Amino acid sequence: MKQVAIIGAGPAGLMAAEAALERGARVAIYDAMPSPARKFLMAGKSGLNITHSEDESLFRSRYTAPDARLAAMVAAFGPAEITAWMAGLGIESYAGSSGRVFPIGMKASPLLRRWLARLGEGGATLHTRHRWTGWDAAGALVFDTPDGEMRVAADATILALGGASWSRLGSDGAWADILAARGVAIEPFAPSNCGFMVDWSARLLAAHEGAPIKSVSLSAGGKTQRGDFVITRAGIESGAVYPLSAALRQELAGRGATTLLIDLLPDTDEAALAARLTGANAKDSVSNRLRKAARLDATKIALLNEVTQGGAPKDPAALARLLKALPLMLTGTAPMDTAISTAGGVAWDALDNHLMLKAVPDTYCVGEMVAWDAPTGGYLLTACLAMGRGVGSAGGN
Ligand SMILES: Cc1cc2nc3c(=O)[nH]c(=O)nc-3n(C[C@H](O)[C@H](O)[C@H](O)COP(=O)(O)OP(=O)(O)OC[C@H]3O[C@@H](n4cnc5c(N)ncnc54)[C@H](O)[C@@H]3O)c2cc1C
């Protein structure tokens, strides 16, 4: 029986473990943290968006710089397979109005509990507080453990070490140096699905920090995204911002700032808006006209005042133009450790067709640690689960 070591007990590693067990391997899972899948549990805090129910070709197009190997794994274990797999664990799922798929109950913990129990019943062993630090001269895996250094010889190793954000949950990206020292090409990490910095005035933050700006359309770098976003102390984050993060990151590269265009009323065209503002009571203040004629809420009005420094134009045509393309200056990317995910990691060229490291025989990489990128919407977890399943059932044993 082949001995498979899985390092990293996030969704990618646990799925690799399950698939390897099904192929009859003896499986040991190692993780540096005191308990497994901490980021997965965190993802479930605001609703575990595990996959998406949209049309298959649209789904495939979500992956930035798609690689045929990733596409094949997602095609083999995609949304339908993931919902069936959850159902097999007794967790039914549903698709929200946006097409995003969640487990009933929204949380990750019931799913994780049953998953770990099934892995244990299948014979997998889980070794927490085992930080992998590399290989010894004989090629054995070396771990730092509370009982000192430990060495493990395995027939195959599947690395599922995650990206480089939310390091307090275990995904610290420190593995990149270990692999680089073995000659593995690593693309630099970059924050993805991240917030952006804005120099808000103290006045705006005092009244609107944490407030959502609802139903807007954001444009940057030739991309447009409908949805909501949130005003934070550092800038902006959430829903509509994340899908633009790759485009905004590019616009910011090498520059001190870039502009995000906000359409505050995406369902009303500019001419109709100008007509409504023209018909408004001329005696009203600009804020009152915006509230009554354009039906802007207090946070949107505050945002307009912030951007124009209280000098929004009175002329209806100019005001309508601004409401349809409000330029918000972004001064940088929020710190990588706060990003939902990271781009970069093990370069695809460093991997063979089975995602085995060309530089380290019998050692495979899965999940966010490999250099692919996708927006939020369930695409991240889908790819992690699909890669785990693909490698665990084929290459890893
Ligand atoms: C707040 C938040 C919300 C999110 N929501 C969603 C969502 O709704 N939908 C979605 O698709 N995605 C979401 N994500 C992203 C998703 O959680 C990640 O993409 C996913 O967890 C990555 O899985 P992974 O198995 O590749 O790595 P991880 O989940 O990061 O797991 C890696 C594991 O490796 C371990 N490890 C690292 N280095 C070592 C080492 N040297 N030795 C031993 N162990 C090590 C870590 O402790 C960790 O347990 C969210 C992320 C965050 C932060």
Side-chain angles (χ1 to χ4, degrees):
M1 191 186 268
K2 283 204 167 174
Q3 173 76 39
V4 176
I6 313 269
I7 313 180
L14 294 179
M15 186 54 89
E18 183 160 86
L21 278 179
E22 286 168 17
R23 292 265 304 208
R26 182 179 296 138
V27 174
I29 309 165
Y30 302 89
D31 200 286
M33 300 301 280
S35 61
R38 291 189 169 199
K39 195 181 253 186
F40 184 64
L41 289 172
M42 176 59 77
K45 276 215 160 161
S46 51
L48 186 75
N49 178 198
I50 198 157
T51 191
H52 205 290
S53 62
E54 70 196 358
D55 165 76
E56 207 181 312
S57 62
L58 200 55
F59 189 93
R60 268 202 307 271
S61 74
R62 305 294 184 183
Y63 294 94
T64 311
D67 183 275
R69 290 163 285 183
L70 177 61
M73 285 180 184
V74 171
F77 197 74
E81 290 75 16
I82 287 173
T83 48
W85 165 77
M86 280 203 293
L89 283 166
I91 307 280
E92 294 303 325
S93 52
Y94 76 97
S97 54
S98 61
R100 292 171 180 233
V101 175
F102 300 88
I104 301 265
M106 304 294 278
K107 300 289 173 219
S109 43
L111 175 62
L112 181 64
R113 236 184 347 261
R114 293 181 191 192
W115 194 9
L116 289 171
R118 190 161 78 185
L119 288 170
E121 284 155 19
T125 54
L126 174 62
H127 309 268
T128 54
R129 294 191 164 93
H130 278 56
R131 169 168 287 277
W132 174 65
T133 57
W135 295 269
D136 68 10
L141 300 162
V142 181
F143 294 92
D144 267 350
T145 80
D147 302 323
E149 196 176 271
M150 205 187 83
R151 279 149 209 266
V152 171
D155 298 307
T157 300
I158 302 178
L159 301 176
L161 300 164
S165 68
W166 291 68
S167 52
R168 68 184 168 86
L169 304 179
S171 323
D172 58 13
W175 52 262
D177 289 342
I178 305 173
L179 294 188
R182 285 290 299 259
V184 175
I186 306 288
E187 290 183 15
F189 292 119
S192 184
N193 298 300
C194 57
F196 289 86
M197 320 278 272
V198 179
D199 256 334
W200 297 125
S201 66
R203 190 183 150 136
L204 181 102
L205 285 177
H208 298 284
E209 183 181 347
I213 303 274
K214 294 206 164 188
S215 307
V216 290
S217 174
L218 305 182
S219 302
K223 279 193 81 175
T224 295
Q225 181 66 41
R226 289 280 291 253
D228 307 342
F229 69 90
V230 175
I231 293 177
T232 66
R233 175 146 291 269
I236 56 170
E237 64 178 34
S238 294
V241 176
Y242 293 155
L244 294 179
S245 43
L248 285 169
R249 214 171 51 225
Q250 259 181 12
E251 298 239 308
L252 278 163
R255 284 197 244 161
T258 193
T259 302
L260 176 71
L261 288 180
I262 307 173
D263 182 346
L264 289 169
L265 292 155
D267 293 320
T268 312
D269 73 35
E270 194 179 310
L273 191 53
R276 262 163 45 191
L277 290 165
T278 305
N281 187 343
K283 284 192 195 138
D284 274 346
S285 65
V286 173
S287 290
N288 270 342
R289 276 198 280 155
L290 289 171
R291 190 169 52 79
K292 290 181 194 163
R295 291 184 213 103
L296 285 197
D297 66 24
T299 314
K300 283 185 177 172
I301 294 174
L303 182 63
L304 178 77
N305 284 331
E306 176 83 0
V307 170
T308 59
Q309 300 192 327
K314 294 198 169 58
D315 170 57
L319 188 54
R321 203 172 314 124
L322 197 58
L323 292 171
K324 296 294 291 175
L326 186 69
L328 179 67
M329 175 158 348
L330 308 181
T331 57
T333 305
M336 187 155 75
D337 201 43
T338 64
I340 295 285
S341 61
T342 49
V346 175
W348 284 98
D349 282 351
L351 299 166
D352 75 2
N353 280 342
H354 306 287
L355 307 197
M356 186 183 84
L357 285 170
K358 292 174 187 166
V360 192
D362 300 319
T363 303
Y364 301 78
C365 296
V366 295
E368 202 182 310
M369 70 180 293
V370 180
W372 53 272
D373 194 12
T376 54
Y379 311 106
L380 297 164
L381 284 172
T382 298
C384 291
L385 294 168
M387 291 170 92
R389 166 83 17 201
V391 170
S393 60
N397 46 347

